[in-house]
Amino acid sequence: MTDLEDEHIDNTMADDSEDDLRAEAEAERIAEALVFASAQPVSEGFIADRLPRALNVRAIMLRLKEQYAHRGVNLVQVDDAWAFRTAADLSFVIRRDENEAKKLSRAALEVLAIIAYHQPVTRAEIEDIRGVQTSRGTLDVLMEAGWVRFRGRRRTPGRPVTLGTTRDFLDHFGLEELRDLPGLEELKGAGLLSGRIPANFNVPSPTMNDELTEDEDPITQLDLEELGLLAPGGASED
């Protein structure tokens, strides 16, 4: 191979490398624009569908996250999605929205915590853990906040509905994923657990899989009608 051929190969490789860098830089700009323009966390799949060619979306988002790490707004991961949020240490300077949702009652907080840690969980199981009845109003508040959802129906007599948390729940509480939920010692330190809890009490590890479990069936249109989420015939209630 001649010196001219070697030089041509080197130049070709250099051109390809520059093209790759330009493509990645453009992909970062597109991803940044998509997340910035959305009020809700944007999934990696949504971003990948809009990039000019197949690239490692997770690597692109992690680079952007690092670039925004010390800015007034941070790029944060919420499950498999991404969103821009005010830096935690600057949240005190942001005026609270006058229409901010009212604080949850103690009962609602307890139910939300049980669902988060024990999901998939049924209403009867929640009541068994709490030792008291759970009103429909408490679940309605959590549903309306967008933090709790119906997952499926348990394959047991009566086919009770199973409950789980949502991506909005992770986003609101600043969690990337469920494994970021506080553990036993953190809950004690925050005063969320009584010092008189049983010695054998353990905080369960929440499931990381959002798919239905083996003992759950998907919710059908008939189920939604039965639960009052759809009017008969499939039309949503006003």
Side-chain angles (χ1 to χ4, degrees), residues 123-137:
R123 179 173 172 176
E125 290 166 345
I126 293 171
E127 292 176 346
D128 184 55
I129 293 169
R130 294 185 67 216
V132 295
Q133 261 193 326
T134 298
S135 72
R136 178 58 190 263

Side-chain angles (χ1 to χ4, degrees), residues 1-211:
M1 187 176 293
T2 66
D3 291 341
L4 287 177
E5 289 173 329
D6 286 340
E7 183 178 352
H8 175 73
I9 292 174
D10 290 342
N11 289 338
T12 300
M13 293 178 63
D15 290 342
D16 289 343
S17 179
E18 289 179 3
D19 288 343
D20 288 342
L21 290 175
R22 279 195 292 268
E24 290 187 2
E26 182 64 14
E28 286 185 8
R29 294 181 67 239
I30 293 173
E32 183 179 30
L34 289 171
V35 178
F36 180 81
S38 175
Q40 300 297 324
V42 180
S43 70
E44 292 182 2
F46 182 89
I47 295 170
D49 289 341
R50 284 152 182 79
L51 295 183
R53 66 178 189 174
L55 292 170
N56 188 331
V57 176
R58 176 57 61 89
I60 289 171
M61 301 312 294
L62 289 175
R63 286 199 297 272
L64 282 173
K65 179 181 180 180
E66 185 176 353
Q67 293 172 25
Y68 278 92
H70 304 292
R71 306 285 294 274
V73 292
N74 298 152
L75 181 63
V76 299
Q77 185 177 350
V78 184
D79 198 9
D80 67 341
W82 295 84
F84 281 115
R85 295 290 181 261
T86 303
D89 61 329
L90 295 179
S91 59
F92 71 95
V93 302
I94 305 299
R95 183 177 63 85
R96 289 184 177 275
D97 192 329
E98 293 178 357
N99 296 320
E100 183 180 10
K102 62 181 179 181
K103 290 184 178 180
L104 294 179
S105 66
R106 182 177 182 83
L109 281 172
E110 289 177 357
V111 171
L112 180 60
I114 290 170
I115 294 173
Y117 283 97
H118 291 265
Q119 60 187 301
V121 62
T122 66
R123 179 173 172 176
E125 290 166 345
I126 293 171
E127 292 176 346
D128 184 55
I129 293 169
R130 294 185 67 216
V132 295
Q133 261 193 326
T134 298
S135 72
R136 178 58 190 263
T138 298
L139 288 174
D140 285 344
V141 167
L142 297 176
M143 292 280 189
E144 289 169 4
W147 297 340
V148 168
R149 65 184 177 90
F150 293 126
R151 284 176 50 101
R153 305 204 79 156
R154 186 70 53 77
R155 293 176 184 171
T156 55
R159 299 183 66 245
V161 175
T162 56
L163 300 162
T165 53
T166 65
R167 180 182 290 167
D168 284 345
F169 164 79
L170 296 176
D171 189 26
H172 181 85
F173 290 97
L175 306 171
E176 288 190 3
E177 52 191 6
L178 287 174
R179 68 162 56 98
D180 293 328
L181 284 166
L184 180 59
E185 294 305 318
E186 292 172 285
L187 290 173
K188 285 181 180 178
L192 297 178
L193 287 179
S194 167
R196 300 186 299 276
I197 59 174
N200 62 348
F201 178 84
N202 288 305
V203 173
S205 298
T207 177
M208 295 304 299
N209 192 348
D210 201 36
E211 300 294 327

